[in-house]
């Protein structure tokens, strides 16, 4: 079974731009969660989508948004990028809830 | 608010020695706790969860509600155990995973 895939793997943007990251879950998985990983703050939960609906949300500003499509693929969007948004963004999928999550390799975003 | 604390950023032991990675949590309800591991150049993956009460790769973890701890233990460390270990708690109104900052374990030959 193919694992969670994320595209692109690396991205360089400048302040003020926006970015869209993509995550394809394991086949059959309906839950997709997003995390931000930075050296200072560690791994922080962004949001979770299940059957195209945002089910849970972390404490991030509204610049961070996401969506999920009918095939369970998910995208995450960050608008008006700030330097502090530089991070590794991880996506994780599971069958139903976050109890048993499978992580993708991450997208490394650098904001200049 | 829920919080997970891993007091050691780095832990170095010799092969064959016992290893204990510490994890303390703060949570008002009944926690569901996990250990995740990330080997070099690999993805973050689930190592074990407390409700399973199983041993994975020789590692065990016991939930101690009195001490609010969930330490990860292995009696005899192997070089292939060298990795970053994260403790995580599932819960809260938004039912999210809260991770500790991680402990980098190095097992020396």
């Amino acid at each position: 079974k193919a694992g969670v895939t994320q595209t692109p793997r690396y991205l360089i943007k400048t302040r003020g731009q926006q970015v869209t990251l993509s995550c394809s879950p394991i086949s059959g998985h309906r839950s997709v969660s997003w995390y931000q990983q930075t050296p200072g703050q560690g791994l922080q939960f962004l949001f979770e989508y299940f059957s195209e609906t945002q089910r849970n949300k972390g404490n991030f500003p509204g610049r961070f948004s996401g969506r999920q499509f009918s095939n369970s693929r998910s995208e995450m969007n960050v608008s008006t990028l700030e330097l502090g948004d530089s991070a590794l963004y991880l996506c994780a999928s599971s069958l139903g809830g976050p109890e048993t999550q499978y992580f993708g390799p991450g997208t490394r975003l650098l904001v200049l | 608010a829920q919080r997970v604390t891993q007091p050691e950023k780095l832990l170095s032991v010799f092969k064959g020695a016992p290893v204990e990675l510490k994890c303390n949590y703060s949570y008002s309800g009944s926690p569901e706790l996990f250990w995740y591991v990330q080997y070099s150049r690999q993805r973050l993956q689930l190592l074990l969860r407390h409700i399973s009460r199983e041993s994975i790769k020789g590692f065990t973890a016991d939930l101690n509600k009195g001490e609010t701890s969930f330490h990860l233990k292995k009696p005899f460390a192997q070089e292939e155990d060298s990795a970053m270990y994260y403790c995580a708690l599932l819960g809260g109104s938004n039912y999210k995973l809260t991770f500790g900052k991680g402990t980098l374990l190095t097992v020396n030959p």
Side-chain angles (χ1 to χ4, degrees):
Chain A
K1 206 188 252 189
V4 178
T5 58
Q6 293 186 243
T7 56
R9 295 292 311 278
Y10 303 93
L11 208 47
I12 299 175
K13 292 285 187 180
T14 56
R15 276 181 301 175
Q17 287 187 307
Q18 75 162 13
V19 68
T20 299
L21 312 181
S22 181
C23 171
S24 291
I26 291 171
S27 178
H29 284 191
R30 296 168 67 189
S31 168
V32 173
S33 297
W34 288 90
Y35 297 86
Q36 182 195 66
Q37 187 175 27
T38 59
Q41 299 300 316
L43 271 158
Q44 293 185 284
F45 171 74
L46 279 155
F47 29 66
E48 182 209 2
Y49 285 86
F50 182 83
S51 293
E52 302 179 65
T53 302
Q54 187 181 85
R55 187 160 66 173
N56 290 304
K57 189 177 188 307
N59 300 322
F60 277 80
R63 300 186 296 108
F64 292 81
S65 63
R67 58 179 176 168
Q68 187 180 33
F69 302 94
S70 58
N71 62 358
S72 293
R73 189 177 70 85
S74 177
E75 287 182 348
M76 191 193 100
N77 184 274
V78 188
S79 62
T80 321
L81 283 166
E82 300 177 359
L83 295 179
D85 297 333
S86 294
L88 180 68
Y89 290 88
L90 293 172
C91 153
S93 77
S94 63
L95 277 171
E99 297 83 3
T100 308
Q101 292 188 327
Y102 294 84
F103 281 81
T107 294
R108 189 165 293 281
L109 171 65
L110 177 62
V111 182
L112 301 175
Chain B
Q2 60 206 63
R3 190 167 61 242
V4 177
T5 303
Q6 293 180 250
E8 302 140 329
K9 277 190 175 179
L10 304 169
L11 184 62
S12 182
V13 301
F14 285 103
K15 177 182 170 182
V19 63
E20 180 179 70
L21 293 97
K22 291 183 169 44
C23 172
N24 291 92
Y25 67 89
S26 172
Y27 185 62
S28 56
S30 278
E32 193 169 351
L33 288 151
F34 304 81
W35 277 98
Y36 279 81
V37 61
Q38 188 166 28
Y39 301 101
S40 178
R41 286 188 284 277
Q42 292 189 30
R43 305 172 182 210
L44 190 62
Q45 58 186 285
L46 178 65
L47 180 62
L48 55 82
R49 48 192 297 199
H50 90 272
I51 64 169
S52 300
R53 303 188 67 81
E54 57 192 344
S55 173
I56 305 291
K57 298 185 179 183
F59 284 98
T60 58
D62 289 317
L63 176 61
N64 186 323
K65 291 188 179 180
E67 296 183 359
T68 59
S69 68
F70 187 58
H71 303 328
L72 183 68
K73 300 176 185 178
K74 185 168 183 177
F76 308 104
Q78 303 299 314
E79 289 180 68
E80 55 265 30
D81 296 328
S82 297
M84 182 69 102
Y85 291 81
Y86 295 92
C87 182
L89 183 154
L90 182 62
S93 57
N94 55 4
Y95 202 52
K96 67 175 185 179
L97 263 181
T98 299
F99 285 87
K101 294 283 179 75
T103 297
L104 180 61
L105 173 66
T106 302
V107 181
N108 301 297

